[in-house]
Amino acid sequence: MNTPDALPVPEDGADVLARIKYLIKFTRHTQASFGRLIGVDAATVSRTLRGKAAPSDAFLNRIVVNLGVSKQWLVDGSDVPFPRTSHSGVRQPMPGASVYNIDVTAGTTPLSRMFTDEYIVGRVSLPGINPELPLVRVSGNSMYPMITSGSYISIRPLPLDAPIAWGRIHVIVLPDHRLVKYVRRNPDPAFVTLHSANPDYDDIEVPRKSIEALYLVENVINYDILA
């Protein structure tokens, strides 16, 4: 049986679907698990691979970000799949900020314990994105349209005793959940007000002493998957 490294790379004349199917085999994923890896629902992946829907630019960008492949190769086959591969055949780390397979609004595990290599699914290098800061996924619509569900944010950890950047977006870690909100002053200095961009959501008042960790959102990368 072929190993992923022994799989023949699609020839230049192959279409983009052939290259996507190659990546699914290369990464040893099913269509469903590949969809989870790149943050796309299984139905969209299935429709795309059956030729029922053309892969959108956003769909391709998710593959590029999460797998670290060359977009030029993915689109037209004119590059190599992983251009950072050395002459020895060992893939070298790509430059840029690490993209973690972490939904920052889900779970209660301390984020500081999750920023390990096993959660890295790709890297991205863009102007203005600090490569030293992690990129994590956000789900939910409370910050729409500022942050769309499934998009990524670059976050900087802050000491709890540091002055709060009032009016800025933060990740707020509470004992039983994590939130992404604007942090505003509260009339009572013992509390902070968490404000959503989406007007359908009410403000939340939380005691400052209940905040277990705080991260400043420095960048937002929004993109949509078009079926």
Side-chain angles (χ1 to χ4, degrees):
M1 182 176 68
N2 285 339
T3 64
D5 291 333
L7 288 173
V9 178
E11 298 178 356
D12 291 350
D15 62 14
V16 64
L17 294 185
R19 287 183 285 277
I20 295 173
K21 292 174 182 178
Y22 163 80
L23 290 172
I24 293 174
K25 291 182 180 180
F26 183 91
T27 56
R28 292 180 176 175
H29 279 278
T30 63
Q31 287 186 19
S33 64
F34 184 79
R36 289 192 295 272
L37 176 66
I38 65 173
V40 178
D41 65 88
T44 298
V45 175
S46 177
R47 286 197 306 271
T48 300
L49 294 180
R50 288 186 289 116
K52 299 296 184 181
S56 67
D57 192 57
F59 184 99
L60 300 178
N61 284 341
R62 290 207 176 208
I63 295 175
V64 170
V65 168
N66 288 293
L67 273 70
V69 302
S70 161
K71 186 170 182 180
Q72 188 176 355
W73 171 82
L74 184 60
V75 171
D76 59 26
S78 60
D79 195 4
V80 293
F82 301 101
R84 296 290 294 180
T85 300
S86 69
H87 294 300
S88 65
V90 178
R91 184 181 171 193
Q92 301 299 309
M94 293 181 65
S98 298
V99 181
Y100 289 85
N101 186 25
I102 297 171
D103 185 340
V104 75
T105 53
T108 58
T109 301
L111 289 176
S112 58
R113 284 169 34 195
M114 300 179 71
F115 293 139
T116 58
D117 288 349
E118 66 183 295
Y119 286 100
I120 295 176
V121 292
R123 297 182 188 275
V124 63
S125 181
L126 291 171
I129 302 293
N130 188 334
E132 301 300 321
L133 300 182
L135 283 163
V136 292
R137 192 171 62 256
V138 179
S139 62
N141 295 313
S142 70
M143 290 301 290
Y144 180 84
M146 179 60 68
I147 303 174
T148 58
S149 183
S151 295
Y152 286 83
I153 57 175
S154 173
I155 60 175
R156 177 185 296 279
L158 300 174
L160 286 178
D161 58 355
I164 294 177
W166 301 111
R168 297 281 300 275
I169 302 175
H170 292 72
V171 176
I172 304 94
V173 180
L174 300 173
D176 55 353
H177 59 293
R178 300 191 288 255
L179 300 168
V180 179
K181 302 286 184 184
Y182 289 107
V183 177
R184 293 181 170 179
R185 291 183 186 272
N186 189 282
D188 184 341
F191 287 76
V192 296
T193 299
L194 307 183
H195 179 74
S196 300
N198 189 333
D200 292 336
Y201 289 76
D202 294 330
D203 287 350
I204 303 171
E205 294 185 342
V206 299
R208 294 186 67 162
K209 65 180 181 181
S210 69
I211 298 175
E212 297 184 342
L214 200 62
Y215 297 79
L216 179 65
V217 176
E218 293 208 341
N219 302 96
V220 177
I221 302 177
N222 284 323
Y223 55 91
D224 297 316
I225 296 297
L226 303 178

